[in-house]
Amino acid sequence: MGAKLGGIARRAIGAGRRESASVSAAALGLLLLVGAALGDGISRTAVEVSDGLTWLNDDQRGEVVQVNPSSGKPQTRLQVSGADAQLEIAQSDDKLVVLDRRTGQITVIDLATLLSSGRRQAPPGPSAKVLIAWDMVFVVDRAAGTVHNADPVTLADIGSPWSAGQPLADVVADDDGVLWAVDHGGNLHALEWSDDGLRFLERSNKAVAGAGPRTALVPHERGVTLLGLEGGVVVRDGTGRDLTASTMTFGGEVLAAQTSPTGLAPASVPDAAVVVLVVGDEVVQVDMRQFGCPKPGRPAVFRDRVYVPCSGSGKVVVLDRSGRRGADDVRTPGSGDPALVFDDGKLFINAPGAEAGVIVDADGRTREVVIRSPELPVLDPERSPMPTVPSPPPPRPDPPARDNRGNGQPPQPRGDTPSAAPVTTTTTPSAGVSGGAPGRPAGVTVTQRGNNGTSVVVAVSWSAVPDGGEPITGYTVTATGAFSGGSQETRVAGTSAELVLPCAGSTFCASGKLDVAVAAYNRFGAGDAGTASWTIRPAAGVTTTTTTTRPPVVTTTTTTPPPPVVITTTTTTTTPPPPPPPPPLPSAGAVVISTVGAGAHRYEKKVTTAPPADWASHGGQCQVVNTTLEATAPIPCSGGTVSIAVDVGGNVIVVRAYAASGSGVVESAPRNAFVQEPVENCGGGRICQPRSLPASEDNQLVGGGIGLLATAWLLTLRNRRMRRESGE
């Protein structure tokens, strides 16, 4: 790009008289600077909509490693499993979901805190699969033939799962958020999630002759390509360029690309040493043995080339669209089989166990990225969260000085100094005082706040635990029962929490038993848990409170309150003060919005909230507001997901809580959402995004623009001097 613009600049400067040359140079220099500024703005936009970092797995250590492609160095190490794990990663800009196939454990990690927010158990082995689409997490059990919509924070089921009625061969998600599933009977299903019905809706169900248990799917921007190579069939559906074609039959496992453009879908058949390419409306078979690759792995499409990792060969073969060699082989470090990861516009080649991997940039050039860094500390995602910084304690007063008589009394003030009022000072134990884990919370109380038949809302409160010399960091609240997921945990800094327990498809909403445990923790660890139990009421007509503390065990059951007592005597009685009324508004500036994801179209975003306790229990109204457009959408204060209108450019989104009395309002912490303006320049009526220039090209534009402006200025001065000398 820089070379092309440089050529244009040279032609412009070389044409016409000196005066016009200087004007042309100035104009072109200004245009180049503007272009560079716009290019830099696009680059900044790319950073805003993408985290710019990528997670890779280190199976031998049971770790996931966050690497920075710009520096080629690791940023973070997280210990998510034991040694010799079999990790698969699903990642987006705000969440990371890790599946360990060896144990079947699924872990979701909040990338804002690098803490695990939820775990889920899946069957060990090849049956499970995790997909992220449109800020939703889908958990697939291919052996059971089911697809679950899992809460992106807790991984608990949302609504009802979908069942094919038989095992599934493969399930993928296209960029429009449509799930595509093919079962062992050869039926291709298209599924969409319904927020209203909390269930999957089946858009289509097409029988494909020749498809079966080894069929694989390749998702596209819209639609999918089905490769039923055991039956010699290829089908492209839902893309607007549908295709049904036949090909050679191949036995054995089929490893399809995890995503690809519509017109180029590859898959490998390791047992046959073949790569099958669906190019346009043609199917091409490539014998990989001619490239010294007798066992091809799962391929990936990058910049119109097909990268094929070669198991046992320590390299990646690069093919063009015709199946010929498209570039030199990429050698991989270490002895492990290379795996390909596509993220943030770059292709990563990761050989598990190797100290380094390879990055393939947009121009096809390769460079090394360090994966294993022994000096980088390993973090535990199950560690306690960083505590909120409390207000500093009042300074410790100086010890009283002894007088000259040695009687230990503080010196008396001089006669000319007014006596100071007595001062009561509260001190806290110094950091040097030894401490331990906190004690057991007392007065654990469960109150049922709502039951709509699909979820139960309960509030849990307890008494604060004395710090005992070491400040309390927070409290862990764990609820267990026969609701969806079986367990739910939250961590709070105060002495109350609200839990929403999904129970669709179970009897938990009718009469289930709920067990709650509350434990305080500090830097020494967690203390003993105070517990309480609750039997779910099917109707919200009567609110019952059960209080249990152990030891001793005290259970208080409050039913219909007695009639008010009217005191008519003049005898003075002492009654405890009533509890303070709840605050009219929750805390301003709290982090309420958990995710801002894609909506149904470009000018819409889906906003999901996970409010803290004081927001969740707020009695007034809440709404999501795009302050840039002043577009609003009501949302329950306890949390949920709504769609909000957005416009091209930056959008600032907040949640507003209104006082029940209508006399006040507060806003949450804002979240930014950027919408890129479409550019019609891809042919065929398609909308494509403007491509940001690499940093090197930006520098060329900036340098060229400044140089041309300087040249124009010098030429102008020279021309003026020459005119003065010639008497013009």
Side-chain angles (χ1 to χ4, degrees):
M1 182 67 180
K4 292 180 181 179
L5 288 176
I8 296 172
R10 285 191 295 271
R11 289 194 296 272
I13 294 173
R17 300 191 321 166
R18 292 187 182 93
E19 189 78 29
S20 62
S22 64
V23 174
S24 299
L28 185 57
L30 181 60
L31 287 174
L32 286 174
L33 286 175
V34 172
L38 290 175
D40 188 51
I42 295 171
S43 298
R44 284 197 299 270
T45 298
V47 172
E48 289 174 1
V49 301
S50 171
D51 59 2
L53 304 173
T54 295
W55 291 90
L56 303 175
N57 57 299
D58 186 348
D59 289 356
Q60 291 185 0
R61 298 182 180 183
E63 298 176 6
V64 289
V65 183
Q66 186 186 51
V67 298
N68 187 333
S70 299
S71 65
K73 296 180 180 179
Q75 300 272 111
T76 308
R77 293 169 62 190
L78 291 180
Q79 188 78 50
V80 296
S81 186
D84 295 327
Q86 299 175 16
L87 303 179
E88 289 191 3
I89 293 174
Q91 56 189 310
S92 64
D93 289 340
D94 61 347
K95 68 177 63 67
L96 173 70
V97 186
V98 183
L99 165 64
D100 185 354
R101 290 203 175 279
R102 184 175 60 84
T103 63
Q105 180 174 264
I106 304 174
T107 305
V108 60
I109 296 172
D110 181 358
L111 296 184
T113 62
L114 295 180
L115 293 173
S116 168
S117 62
R119 288 185 182 270
R120 181 184 181 119
Q121 188 62 41
S127 175
K129 188 173 185 178
V130 177
L131 303 170
I132 296 179
W134 281 31
D135 286 329
M136 293 185 289
V137 176
F138 300 106
V139 178
V140 179
D141 186 343
R142 283 177 279 200
T146 57
V147 180
H148 302 253
N149 185 2
D151 185 277
V153 177
T154 65
L155 290 182
D157 272 4
I158 299 176
S160 304
W162 175 82
S163 176
Q166 58 180 310
L168 294 167
D170 200 6
V171 181
V172 297
D174 65 19
D175 291 351
D176 277 351
V178 178
L179 290 183
W180 296 85
V182 58
D183 57 40
H184 281 198
N187 301 297
L188 179 62
H189 308 264
L191 309 173
E192 281 186 319
W193 175 255
S194 169
D195 284 328
D196 296 332
L198 291 179
R199 63 189 182 92
F200 290 94
L201 302 179
E202 193 162 329
R203 293 200 329 182
S204 64
N205 182 357
K206 179 183 296 185
V208 179
R214 293 176 179 172
T215 298
L217 301 175
V218 180
H220 308 302
E221 181 179 4
R222 180 179 295 111
V224 70
T225 294
L226 177 150
L227 296 117
L229 302 183
E230 72 268 48
V233 61
V234 172
V235 172
R236 190 164 57 220
D237 191 28
T239 65
R241 297 172 54 189
D242 292 352
L243 168 72
T244 300
S246 59
T247 182
M248 294 176 59
T249 60
F250 296 98
E253 183 182 20
V254 179
L255 302 177
Q258 294 182 340
T259 184
S260 80
T262 303
L264 180 57
S268 295
V269 186
D271 293 345
V274 167
V275 168
V276 176
L277 305 177
V278 183
V279 185
D281 295 339
E282 298 181 356
V283 182
V284 179
Q285 294 90 22
V286 182
D287 187 347
M288 295 302 295
R289 285 171 291 205
Q290 62 180 312
F291 303 114
C293 184
K295 192 172 183 180
R298 189 182 303 276
V301 178
F302 183 60
R303 297 293 180 178
D304 212 35
R305 292 175 174 173
V306 179
Y307 289 75
V308 183
C310 299
S311 301
S313 302
K315 67 179 181 180
V316 176
V317 175
V318 186
L319 304 176
D320 62 16
R321 295 175 64 93
S322 65
R324 299 182 178 89
R325 186 183 295 277
D328 293 339
D329 296 344
V330 181
R331 292 291 172 180
T332 58
S335 58
D337 294 335
L340 307 182
V341 177
F342 181 75
D343 185 56
D344 284 339
K346 293 180 174 61
L347 183 66
F348 295 80
I349 303 175
N350 179 29
E355 300 295 323
V358 178
I359 298 177
V360 183
D361 288 319
D363 57 3
R365 290 182 293 181
T366 60
R367 52 192 172 92
E368 186 179 87
V369 56
V370 178
I371 298 175
R372 287 193 167 187
S373 179
E375 65 273 10
L376 189 66
V378 182
L379 301 180
D380 180 7
E382 299 299 325
R383 69 193 186 279
S384 299
M386 292 294 291
T388 303
V389 178
S391 301
R396 179 187 290 271
D398 294 332
R402 295 179 178 271
D403 63 7
N404 293 332
R405 293 168 295 182
N407 59 6
Q409 300 297 321
Q412 299 298 319
R414 297 172 180 260
D416 57 352
T417 304
S419 300
V423 177
T424 302
T425 304
T426 302
T427 62
T428 58
S430 65
V433 177
S434 60
R440 177 189 292 111
V444 179
T445 302
V446 181
T447 303
Q448 182 173 318
R449 291 197 168 179
N451 184 348
N452 61 7
T454 60
S455 63
V456 174
V457 181
V458 296
V460 184
S461 60
W462 57 92
S463 300
V465 175
D467 59 23
E470 182 63 35
I472 302 297
T473 303
Y475 297 86
T476 301
V477 183
T478 305
T480 56
F483 52 87
S484 300
S487 178
Q488 192 174 123
E489 180 181 291
T490 186
R491 294 177 179 179
V492 296
T495 57
S496 64
E498 185 171 276
L499 302 172
V500 180
L501 309 175
C503 53
S506 70
T507 60
F508 182 78
C509 281
S511 59
K513 181 182 178 183
L514 175 66
D515 293 317
V516 175
V518 180
Y521 59 91
N522 57 21
R523 69 186 182 96
F524 291 102
D528 294 336
T531 61
S533 298
W534 176 264
T535 300
I536 301 300
R537 307 294 187 190
V542 179
T543 301
T544 305
T545 302
T546 301
T547 303
T548 305
T549 59
R550 300 175 184 173
V553 178
V554 179
T555 303
T556 303
T557 302
T558 303
T559 56
T560 305
V565 177
V566 179
I567 301 175
T568 57
T569 65
T570 59
T571 303
T572 302
T573 60
T574 301
T575 58
L585 288 169
S587 56
V591 178
V592 177
I593 300 175
S594 59
T595 60
V596 177
H601 49 78
R602 179 182 300 276
Y603 302 105
E604 178 183 281
K605 293 289 185 183
K606 281 190 176 181
V607 179
T608 301
T609 63
D614 60 334
W615 279 74
S617 60
H618 178 54
Q621 294 182 344
C622 293
Q623 61 180 194
V624 175
V625 182
N626 182 349
T627 60
T628 305
L629 297 177
E630 283 301 323
T632 62
I635 192 171
C637 294
S638 58
T641 300
V642 298
S643 297
I644 191 76
V646 293
D647 200 358
V648 171
N651 297 262
V652 180
I653 300 175
V654 300
V655 178
R656 287 177 183 166
Y658 298 87
S661 61
S663 60
V665 61
V666 295
E667 288 187 354
S668 69
R671 285 288 296 267
N672 296 322
F674 189 88
V675 178
Q676 180 65 54
E677 185 172 4
V679 176
E680 296 279 354
N681 193 25
C682 288
R686 294 184 295 114
I687 296 177
C688 61
Q689 298 292 341
R691 182 177 67 87
S692 61
L693 294 172
S696 60
E697 296 187 7
D698 288 344
N699 294 337
Q700 292 174 9
L701 287 176
V702 174
I706 293 174
L708 287 172
L709 284 176
T711 301
W713 181 66
L714 292 174
L715 287 173
T716 301
L717 291 179
R718 180 183 177 188
N719 291 337
R720 289 177 180 174
R721 180 172 56 82
M722 294 176 64
R723 286 198 301 270
R724 286 197 301 269
E725 292 175 353
S726 62
E728 291 184 8

